Amino acid sequence: MGTNDKILVTGAGGFIGGALVSVFRSKGYRDIRAVDVKPFGEWYQRFDDVENLSLDLNLKENCERVAKGAVEIYNLAANMGGMGFIEHNKALCMLSVLINTHMLQAALANGTKRFFYSSSACVYNGDKQKTFEAPSLKEEDAYPAMAEDGYGWEKLFSERMCRHFREDFGLTTRVARFHNVYGPWGTWFGGREKAPAAICRKVIEAKVSGKHQIEIWGSGVQTRSFMFIDDCTDGIQKITSSEILEPLNLGSSEAVTINQLVDMAEEIAGIKLKRNYDLTAPKGVNGRNSDNALIQKYLHWEPNTPLRVGLEKTYRWIYDQYMARERGEAGVVREAGATR
Ligand code: GDC
């Protein structure tokens, strides 16, 4: 793809979509169309030299409009969030199937050359994630299917729709299964935030307030791997331009317990907190890690930012956002990334 070709990024007002637009700009792409349902003021990052559109992609006519002329489409639009959100919004999460269906149809009608779909580790069979020992999930572990209720089933269905659009209609589709992505410009409060941002925020709250306590959801021994945003945007580009047909894990293989995640955030903050475990809070699966054998085989690469390094950058960014909000600086919180 040339730097004059039109790229469409959907979900561009969100964390990963906004980061992807930022990367494409810095690589010299000059014809980027960025679309999100959120009003402009709520986009995490927004750039004046990009065609920004606030449109609801649940509607087919909007998908047709934004796909027009797009040589590549990166479909990151979805209703989603961390465990606190997806556990309580299963129907809403499943409705994202409208976006994916209409975007695939629009891409096909437009003659789009490549279509990237962002799937999730939530497609994996829950039975394989019952142990706390951070089971490494291979791509084949999505079947027999028993995905995360609501959100995971929609992702699995839409992955398959991508496959069949490729097989039956000849649309070049590429799919990555993201494992818990974190970093600056990500959601850090409001209910959709994931564990890394939530833990950073809670540690900052404790530090600033002088109340040296933290509430942790679950027992703290759940395991996860967390992928830094730069690895995610690198991986999206590598997978989209590759000839890999099957959905591929895009995640870090550095598994930690949630307690270890809290240890790191405390160390960055230079503080030790009393831990209170809320066993009634949304927990998701007990253990999950990304098996990276397949991505290594195909790309000789895998996400490799150490969690400690990425978390420090994330912590510092959230700290600045938090302090700006404390000072009552209007518009800094949700609109922190707007037009920079
Ligand atoms: O929300 P999440 O990061 O999503 O939670 C990870 C673990 O951290 C859970 O067991 C959760 O209970 C625990 N946790 C402890 N304290 C807190 O304050 C907190 N906030 C949050 N959010 N969690 C806390 C995610 C999905 C995503 C996406 C990725 C793919 O599941 O929510 O939409 O698909 O998976 O890997 P997680 O990792 O369970």
Side-chain angles (χ1 to χ4, degrees):
M1 192 181 52
T3 49
N4 289 326
D5 288 335
K6 189 183 286 300
I7 300 180
L8 167 64
V9 178
T10 72
F15 170 40
I16 303 173
L20 196 59
V21 170
S22 173
V23 168
F24 283 136
R25 277 178 79 248
S26 64
K27 288 192 153 182
Y29 288 92
R30 283 191 290 244
D31 193 359
I32 304 170
R33 181 175 287 154
V35 185
D36 203 289
V37 70
K38 290 197 282 276
F40 289 139
E42 292 180 18
W43 289 32
Y44 295 6
Q45 299 194 68
R46 183 159 51 87
F47 305 95
D48 290 336
D49 54 359
V50 162
E51 181 190 359
N52 297 304
L53 297 169
S54 176
L55 288 172
D56 183 357
L57 297 180
N58 285 291
L59 304 177
K60 191 175 180 202
E61 59 267 30
N62 286 341
C63 292
E64 286 165 349
R65 176 175 160 195
V66 301
K68 211 156 263 155
V71 175
E72 290 193 352
I73 294 180
Y74 294 79
N75 186 19
L76 294 141
N79 216 332
M80 63 88 65
M83 274 322 298
F85 181 78
I86 65 174
E87 194 157 309
H88 295 121
N89 294 279
K90 292 175 186 146
L92 264 187
C93 288
M94 292 205 87
L95 280 171
S96 295
V97 75
L98 292 172
I99 303 174
N100 301 317
T101 305
H102 293 147
M103 278 314 310
L104 277 167
Q105 289 178 310
L108 190 63
N110 173 64
T112 293
K113 295 268 186 308
R114 274 175 195 254
F115 183 98
F116 173 83
Y117 175 62
S118 52
S119 183
S120 165
C122 287
V123 300
Y124 285 113
N125 186 318
D127 277 349
K128 303 199 169 155
Q129 304 170 78
K130 288 195 162 147
T131 164
F132 290 93
E133 305 299 318
S136 285
L137 297 160
K138 290 191 186 51
E139 283 74 0
E140 66 198 40
D141 291 332
Y143 297 97
M146 209 214 282
E148 181 96 34
D149 211 0
Y151 180 73
W153 278 104
E154 190 281 323
K155 288 288 182 193
L156 195 62
F157 176 86
S158 290
E159 280 191 357
R160 288 191 80 94
M161 197 159 40
C162 287
R163 170 176 151 192
H164 296 306
F165 265 67
R166 178 170 52 75
E167 291 174 350
D168 294 359
F169 302 145
L171 180 68
T172 301
T173 56
R174 298 289 179 261
V175 177
R177 292 177 180 157
F178 295 167
H179 288 246
N180 209 317
V181 188
Y182 72 99
W185 311 101
T187 310
W188 60 278
F189 77 104
R192 291 185 190 243
E193 64 279 12
K194 297 183 187 170
I199 297 298
C200 285
R201 187 201 71 231
K202 289 177 180 181
V203 168
I204 292 164
E205 264 162 8
K207 192 176 161 108
V208 171
S209 70
K211 291 191 198 112
H212 287 184
Q213 298 205 11
I214 185 166
E215 184 194 279
I216 297 168
W217 295 356
S219 61
V221 297
Q222 318 92 295
T223 44
R224 293 290 187 281
S225 73
F226 301 103
M227 169 168 56
F228 191 58
I229 183 65
D230 294 0
D231 288 332
C232 182
T233 51
D234 281 356
I236 291 171
Q237 292 167 87
K238 287 178 197 290
I239 290 169
T240 305
S241 59
S242 78
E243 294 313 310
I244 307 164
L245 301 182
E246 67 256 52
L248 205 58
N249 275 334
L250 184 56
S252 161
S253 56
E254 180 190 349
V256 293
T257 64
I258 298 303
N259 277 328
Q260 287 170 326
L261 179 70
V262 178
D263 290 343
M264 279 188 201
E266 285 180 340
E267 189 194 309
I268 293 163
I271 199 171
K272 270 276 163 208
L273 304 172
K274 178 175 177 296
R275 298 180 184 189
N276 304 316
Y277 295 96
D278 181 356
L279 302 180
T280 64
K283 289 184 289 291
V285 296
N286 290 337
R288 170 183 293 162
N289 193 10
S290 179
D291 183 306
N292 286 347
L294 206 54
I295 194 169
Q296 274 290 357
K297 178 179 146 204
Y298 284 130
L299 297 175
H300 312 292
W301 174 87
E302 66 183 284
N304 54 18
T305 305
L307 179 59
R308 180 65 176 74
V309 172
L311 198 68
E312 175 136 14
K313 291 182 183 167
T314 307
Y315 177 95
R316 305 260 169 250
W317 180 81
I318 295 176
Y319 185 86
D320 289 345
Q321 300 300 306
Y322 187 95
M323 295 314 286
R325 192 174 66 166
E326 287 287 287
R327 289 192 298 271
E329 286 175 15
V332 174
V333 180
R334 296 283 296 187
E335 292 140 56
T339 314
R340 56 169 202 188

